[in-house]
Amino acid sequence: LRLTRTAVARLVVQAAEMPRAGGLERALGDALGDASLRVLYPLADGRVTDHSGVTVGTQLGQSVTRLTRGDTTVALLVHRAELLDVDGIVNQITETARLALDNERLQAQRQAHLADLRASRARIVAAADGERRRLERDLHDGAQQKVVALSLALRLAQLRLPEDAAPALASRLDDAQAE
């Protein structure tokens, strides 16, 4: 029971000291002496994101080391060449930073999904706006064509009106044409 309590207390202390999003990257960079070190997280769709969920790529001249747990790649470390050539250091990093890696990976995935959702919503709104404008044009053009056709029909009726037609009929045609 005492060992369990000690383990739980240690876990609580470790969780409280966990760096904010992006803090793991700085902490590992400081610990390994590589200020250019980046921690990236693979997504299920093949993209790779940073801690904020922004899709990124690697630059030429940088080494990429996979941090894995079982068969799953948990994170990618992008660093200067030969930084992690010491035997066992990758496993040590993976185990030491396990909770922080999982936390940042989940936050990065969440941010990437939110960005995808926002982009999807923007595409839906743009498509709806485009369709609305197309319908407005079609309605406007169709109504305009009908009004022009009606105006021409009224004008023809006025021209074909016999001279002896009732004045009320001529007046109604004039009113309709003016309208």
Side-chain angles (χ1 to χ4, degrees):
L1 183 59
R2 188 175 54 209
L3 289 174
T4 303
R5 285 182 182 163
T6 303
V8 171
R10 193 175 314 128
L11 181 62
V12 170
V13 170
Q14 287 175 346
E17 294 174 352
M18 196 179 313
R20 292 188 312 244
L24 178 62
E25 189 173 278
R26 285 188 298 279
L28 284 174
D30 291 346
L32 297 171
D34 184 1
S36 68
L37 183 130
R38 307 269 324 263
V39 180
L40 305 177
Y41 303 95
L43 299 177
D45 63 4
R47 292 180 296 156
V48 177
T49 68
D50 64 4
H51 65 274
S52 63
V54 176
T55 301
V56 295
T58 59
Q59 298 173 351
L60 294 175
Q62 292 180 314
S63 295
V64 178
T65 302
R66 293 183 180 281
L67 300 181
T68 59
R69 191 173 304 126
D71 293 337
T72 305
T73 300
V74 178
L76 303 171
L77 291 182
V78 180
H79 54 85
R80 70 173 189 267
E82 301 174 3
L83 176 68
L84 301 177
D85 286 347
V86 178
D87 284 338
I89 190 133
V90 173
N91 290 336
Q92 188 176 2
I93 290 170
T94 304
E95 287 307 312
T96 304
R98 179 179 178 167
L99 190 56
L101 276 171
D102 287 343
N103 186 32
E104 277 200 9
R105 178 177 51 83
L106 291 172
Q107 288 180 16
Q109 287 174 344
R110 184 193 67 190
Q111 292 297 339
H113 291 317
L114 283 173
D116 291 346
L117 181 61
R118 286 184 187 114
S120 175
R121 285 181 178 171
R123 287 190 304 272
I124 289 169
V125 168
D129 285 348
E131 187 65 16
R132 181 186 46 77
R133 282 191 296 275
R134 186 189 67 76
L135 286 172
E136 286 174 351
R137 267 193 319 275
D138 288 352
L139 287 172
H140 177 267
D141 292 348
Q144 186 176 17
Q145 287 175 359
K146 291 207 183 266
V147 168
V148 168
L150 185 58
S151 176
L152 288 174
L154 286 170
R155 185 69 183 135
L156 277 174
Q158 283 177 327
L159 292 174
R160 292 183 180 162
L161 195 62
E163 303 247 344
D164 60 342
L169 180 61
S171 174
R172 290 186 81 186
L173 283 174
D174 288 340
D175 290 345
Q177 180 66 32
E179 190 68 29

